[in-house]
Every structure is written in structure tokens, then in C-alpha cells.
Amino acid sequence: MTQEIRNVQQNLTVQLTQEVARLQAEKTRLMDDITKLQSQQQQMIGRQMQSVNQRQIAQQQMWSKQLAQVLASHLQEDLSQRLKEILAATERQAITGAAPPQSFAPAPTQSNYSDDAYRLLSGLDSTLNTTFKTLQQELSSYQSSLSQQLSRMHSLQQQGEVILETLVDRLISQLQEDATTINASAQNLVSQYQQRQGGQLQPPPVPPVAPPIAAPPQTAPTPAAPPAAADTEPNLFVTGFILVLLSSVTISFQNIVTRIILSKQTILGMVEIGGFISPSFNNSLLILAMRYSLVAPIMAFLIAPRIYPNTWRDIKQLWNPEKRGLLWTVVGSGFFLFISQCFIYIALGNAPTGVATAIFFIFPTVTVLLAWLVFGSRPSAILALAVATIYLGVFLTIPAERLSGGPGGGSFLLGAMTAAASGVTFAGYVILTQVSGMKKFHPAPYTVVNFTVTWVLAVLSLPLFPFKVAPENWGPLCGGAVVLFFTTLIGYVLNNFGIPMIGAALASVVSATGPALTSLMALFFINEKLGLYQWLGVALVTMWVLGISLENQNRKKRQTAPAGK
């Protein structure tokens, strides 16, 4: 089996290497084409300038020839007319035979010739002036036309450069996105083959089954390098299982810390501490604001970029018009997470930790129903039985004396109802998480946006819902918020390191033990005892949440089996 996995991995690596080489060759070819287009553009601009200069010189020569022809024609017409007049005067004198006196004849003839020459020169001067003025006007009009054409060519050149730069940027970004997609696909496929244990293929990631106060959606970070030998695979699986189990333990411990902050408890039967604030909606907003003021920046700037380097690039792309629907989906999931956490804080302050967690775990049943309505995923008979049994277990966790109005019944029922409301709203968060997963939005930026939305909503809601904290309780309250901050980050990091080792499906099964783990840890740390029926209800909820996780895993196997054959 290990050799087969290695052969498949080698074949996949060779195919991906060839695909990357092909993309690099395509990128080189596109860059060469762009260079050729730019050189052709420069050549065309040079040719256009040369043709414009040649046309301008030819036009000037043509104008000079036209001017010479006009002057010659005018001079020829004037000279011929003058010769005709002289010949006509000579003929008239010859016919009449009257010769003028020697002393008188030359004077009038010289005067007439001078007048005629003056008139001829005046006409020639006026003709030349008119011609030159016309030429000057035409030259001015041609000059303005050439200037307009040159400016237009310059603007076209700038537009062409901008278009080429845009084209180059788009090609480069497209090639980078294709390379990133191929690398991510390769990593996911290699991770799936690495995670094969006992002949079982690793299904795709599924939403977590963990209380909302700790766990964001499970992610599949970049897998580590494959083990050098086959005997290291069991150790890798055990390590991943321990990490995911520790993540669930951290989440359960976080629930207990929240219970201590909201209700006074005895720690390990020795120290009585807690009850720093009352379990109300106003104080839930205060805890959320304090906790996420620490969690959101650390997640956004330290943890998420290490898990997924393109976190901020994907977040910026949410503002593009074509991804506006995805933006509203992510923001809506953050809103549901915010409401769910407000309710679970009220529940943990009014009901036992194990009971509140068990009631909260009705969210897989609501998720099944919402998936049927939204995605058309009809639940099977086993899922229907699981849903009914989980609600039976939830009913068993509520003591009979609390239902009949016994002491503390009001606060207990408030805790039970708010825990159920938290589970319902968390189911909406899970459905929107699945929608964003269908749109190929990575869980790391998704978590950053969710945490930021929760923090912003909590901070903006504080002025609308005033809180009351005794001055002496501010210190312990801040310490509790810091503990919640560290448990959130530790649970998230352990979960993300453990999932690639054992797979998201098995991780969801481990996370489904939340009600039982929380009840056992509450019994150990704060001596929170449950009745027989309550333990039975917690067991039923835990068992059938595990059943839902296994059924979802088997359904994914059945759906992917035909595609893999």
C-alpha cells in the first residue's frame, strides 16, 4: 500500500511538474509576443513619422511649383497683352501716315511706356501679395492639422502603452493564480494520499462540531513533507489524533473557564472563585469584546498569514464587484457566530457546563435540516433517527424538578433555551461556512473575517447595552479574558496541525466528543455533578453526534467512489 501511494505521488509530482513547465513555457511565449508587439508598435510609430515628414516635404515642393506656374502664367498674360497693344498702336500710325514731330514723339511714347510698366509692376505686386497671403493661410491650416494629428498619434501611443501594460499585468496575475491553484491542488492531493490509513481515503474538510466559543471552521493547512519511511506513518497518525484530542480538551476547558467567570464555583474542591459578572446579554457582549480584542489581531496578523500566505490578498479580493456575494456570505456567517456566542455565554452562566454543551450540540441536527433546504441534501433514515435521539438526550439533560418549577428552575430553563438558541444560530454559521467553501474561499481568511466581524459587532454593541462590573472584579475578569484568548488560539493551532495528519472527517468525529469531555472535565475541576438521567442524555447526544459525523463521512465516500473508479 505504501509503495502504491508513493507511485501515485511520484506520478502526480511528474504530472504537476510538467504542467508547471508548460505554464512557464506559455508565460515565456506570451512575454515574447508582448515584446514583439511593443517593437512593432515602435516601428509603426517611426514609419508614420517618416511618412508624415515625406508628405510635408512633397507638399511644400508642390506648393512651390504651383506658385512658379501661377507667376509665369500671370507674367505671360501681361506681356502678351502689352505686346498686342504696342502692335495695334504701330499699325494705326502706319495707316494714318501721320508721323509725329521729332522733338515731340519720343516724349509721349516714353511716358506711356513708363505708365504701362508701373501698372504692370503694381498688378504683379498685388498678384504676388495675394498669392503669398493665400499660401500663408494654407500653410497655417496645414500646420494646425499636422499638429492635431501628431497630438492624436501621441495620445494613441500612450493609450497603447497603457493597454499593453494592463495586458501584461493581467497575464502575470493569471499565471500566478494558475500556479497557486495548481500548487494548492497538488498539496491537497498529496495530503489526501498521505492521510490514507488502512485503505481509507481522506474525505474533504467538513465543518467542525465544537462549541462556538472556541473553534472556527476546520482548515487544511499546507501539509508537511512526506515521511521518509513507512514506519513513521502510524506515529504521524497518533500525533495528529493527540493534537485534535487536545484541541477538543482545550475547547472543553474554555467552557469551564467561561462558567467560572459567570458563576461562582469551587476549583478542585479547595478554592471558591468566580461569578465576576452576571450571565446576561450585556455582560456577554463585554466578554466577547475583551476576548476578541486580543484574538482578532493575533489571528489576522500572525497566525492566519503563516497558515495561508495569501490571506490578505484573498480578503482584499472580497471587495471586487464579482465577489460581493461571497463578502456578504462571510459577513453573515460572522454575524451568526456573534449571536451564537452571546447565547452560549448566557447558557453557561445559568446551566451546568455539561448540560449547556449537550443542548448546544443540537446544531448538527439543525445543520442537517438546513442542508436539506439549502442544498437539497435529503437526510437518510439513520440521520433522521440520530436527530430524534439527540433531542431525546437533550430532554433527558433537563431535570424534572426544573421543569416543574422547582428552585432555580427559571435560571436553568433560561440557560437551556439560550443553549438551544446558540446551537440553532451556530447551524446557520456552519451552512454559510459550507457555502463559502463551495466558492473556494480558504478557511484562514474566512476565520480572520469572522473574528473581525464578531469583534466589531461586540464593540459597537457595548454602548447600546450598558454593563455593570464591580471595581474589584475587573482584574479577575481581565485574567479570565486572557485565559479565553489563549485557549482559543491553542485550540485553533492544535486543530490545524492535527487535521492534515488524521483527516478532517476523523477530526470531526473526535470533536463530537465535546459534550462528554466537557461534562467529565466539569466534574473534575469544579465538582459539577449531574444526575443519572442527565448523564444518560449527555451520552445519547455524544453518541449520535458521533453517528452523524460517521454518516457524513460514509456519504462523502459514496459520492466520491464513482468519481475515483
Side-chain angles (χ1 to χ4, degrees):
M1 180 61 69
T2 305
Q3 185 64 31
E4 180 184 355
I5 294 173
R6 289 179 178 175
N7 292 335
V8 172
Q9 181 179 358
Q10 291 177 357
N11 294 333
L12 181 62
T13 304
V14 171
Q15 293 176 1
L16 291 174
T17 304
Q18 293 175 353
E19 186 68 20
V20 171
R22 185 185 66 80
L23 287 174
Q24 291 291 340
E26 186 70 17
K27 176 183 177 182
T28 304
R29 185 183 64 80
L30 290 173
M31 295 299 294
D32 293 338
D33 292 341
I34 291 170
T35 305
K36 290 179 181 178
L37 288 174
Q38 290 177 345
S39 61
Q40 290 177 2
Q41 182 192 17
Q42 296 294 333
Q43 291 176 2
M44 290 177 63
I45 292 173
R47 290 175 184 174
Q48 288 178 356
M49 295 297 294
Q50 290 178 359
S51 61
V52 168
N53 293 331
Q54 291 176 358
R55 285 198 301 270
Q56 186 176 7
I57 294 172
Q59 200 166 14
Q60 289 177 355
Q61 292 176 354
M62 184 182 65
W63 290 340
S64 300
K65 290 180 181 180
Q66 290 178 356
L67 176 60
Q69 290 176 0
V70 169
L71 292 175
S73 62
H74 279 288
L75 289 173
Q76 184 179 3
E77 290 177 359
D78 290 339
L79 290 174
S80 61
Q81 183 179 1
R82 185 60 182 163
L83 289 174
K84 288 179 181 179
E85 290 177 357
I86 293 172
L87 290 175
T90 306
E91 287 177 359
R92 284 197 300 272
Q93 289 177 2
I95 292 172
T96 56
Q102 294 288 332
S103 61
F104 180 75
T109 302
Q110 186 177 3
S111 177
N112 291 332
Y113 286 159
S114 297
D115 294 338
D116 292 338
Y118 179 76
R119 285 195 301 270
L120 180 61
L121 290 174
S122 299
L124 180 61
D125 183 60
S126 61
T127 302
L128 289 174
N129 288 332
T130 305
T131 303
F132 279 119
K133 288 181 180 179
T134 305
L135 287 174
Q136 186 176 5
Q137 292 176 356
E138 291 179 355
L139 286 174
S140 300
S141 63
Y142 282 125
Q143 183 180 4
S144 62
S145 177
L146 286 173
S147 299
Q148 292 176 359
Q149 291 179 359
L150 289 174
S151 62
R152 190 176 303 167
M153 289 176 60
H154 184 66
S155 63
L156 289 175
Q157 178 185 0
Q158 291 179 344
Q159 292 177 3
E161 291 177 354
V162 172
I163 292 173
L164 284 176
E165 290 178 359
T166 306
L167 177 62
V168 171
D169 293 338
R170 287 185 179 178
L171 289 174
I172 292 173
S173 62
Q174 185 65 36
L175 289 173
Q176 290 176 351
E177 290 180 0
D178 293 341
T180 303
T181 305
I182 290 174
N183 290 334
S185 302
Q187 291 170 358
N188 290 333
L189 290 174
V190 171
S191 175
Q192 289 179 5
Y193 282 109
Q194 288 176 356
Q195 294 160 3
R196 180 184 294 188
Q197 299 294 335
Q200 293 183 355
L201 281 176
Q202 173 61 40
V206 296
V209 283
I213 61 173
Q218 294 180 358
T219 62
T222 303
D231 54 357
T232 61
E233 293 182 0
N235 295 331
L236 186 67
F237 178 82
V238 171
T239 302
F241 182 83
I242 293 174
L243 290 177
V244 175
L245 183 61
L246 288 175
S247 175
S248 298
V249 171
T250 305
I251 293 170
S252 299
F253 181 73
Q254 188 181 79
N255 295 337
I256 295 172
V257 172
T258 305
R259 173 72 170 167
I260 293 172
I261 292 174
L262 297 170
S263 177
K264 185 172 291 188
Q265 303 293 328
T266 303
I267 308 299
L268 298 175
M270 296 183 295
V271 181
E272 188 175 12
I273 192 174
F276 308 124
I277 54 176
S278 60
S280 62
F281 183 76
N282 304 28
N283 293 331
S284 297
L285 293 175
L286 176 61
I287 299 177
L288 277 178
M290 295 176 65
R291 173 187 167 197
Y292 278 96
S293 295
L294 300 173
V295 172
I298 299 298
M299 181 64 66
F301 296 104
L302 292 181
I303 297 179
R306 290 182 178 271
I307 295 175
Y308 181 60
N310 295 326
T311 295
W312 283 104
R313 186 201 67 181
D314 292 357
I315 292 175
K316 291 178 181 178
Q317 290 179 352
L318 288 176
W319 298 102
N320 296 337
E322 62 272 11
K323 292 192 176 181
R324 197 60 55 83
L326 178 59
L327 173 62
W328 287 114
T329 300
V330 178
V331 173
S333 65
F335 173 76
F336 278 110
L337 181 62
F338 165 73
I339 297 298
S340 178
Q341 293 190 351
C342 289
F343 282 136
I344 197 65
Y345 282 148
I346 300 174
L348 290 172
N350 289 280
T353 311
V355 173
T357 306
I359 297 175
F360 163 77
F361 265 80
I362 67 170
F363 84 84
T365 65
V366 181
T367 304
V368 170
L369 299 177
L370 291 177
W372 186 11
L373 296 175
V374 176
F375 306 117
S377 178
R378 186 183 183 89
S380 62
I382 295 178
L383 287 179
L385 178 62
V387 170
T389 309
I390 287 175
Y391 284 111
L392 176 61
V394 169
F395 181 77
L396 290 176
T397 59
I398 303 176
E401 62 270 14
R402 303 297 174 88
L403 292 175
S404 59
S411 61
F412 187 93
L413 290 179
L414 175 62
M417 289 188 293
T418 51
S422 177
V424 172
T425 52
F426 191 71
Y429 162 76
V430 171
I431 290 296
L432 292 179
T433 301
Q434 292 179 354
V435 172
S436 68
M438 291 179 180
K439 296 181 180 180
K440 299 181 179 179
F441 192 61
H442 196 276
Y446 180 86
T447 303
V448 171
V449 176
N450 273 320
F451 282 7
T452 304
V453 170
T454 304
W455 173 60
V456 170
L457 289 176
V459 172
L460 294 180
S461 301
L462 284 178
L464 302 178
F465 301 94
F467 54 86
K468 293 182 180 180
V469 181
E472 64 273 11
N473 290 336
W474 273 109
L477 181 60
C478 292
V482 172
V483 174
L484 293 179
F485 157 70
F486 279 110
T487 53
T488 300
L489 293 186
I490 292 172
Y492 184 86
V493 172
L494 292 176
N495 204 39
N496 277 275
F497 277 105
I499 287 175
M501 299 179 185
I502 65 173
L506 184 56
S508 66
V509 173
V510 175
S511 300
T513 60
L517 280 176
T518 304
S519 300
L520 292 173
M521 292 180 66
L523 177 63
F524 176 76
F525 283 105
I526 57 177
N527 195 26
E528 196 171 66
K529 298 179 181 180
L530 300 179
L532 176 63
Y533 289 109
Q534 290 177 305
W535 280 111
L536 179 61
V538 170
L540 285 176
V541 171
T542 304
M543 181 180 64
W544 281 105
V545 169
L546 286 170
I548 289 178
S549 299
L550 293 174
E551 175 63 18
N552 288 332
Q553 181 179 0
N554 293 331
R555 175 180 295 187
K556 292 180 183 297
K557 283 185 179 181
R558 290 193 297 268
Q559 291 175 352
T560 56
K565 289 183 179 180

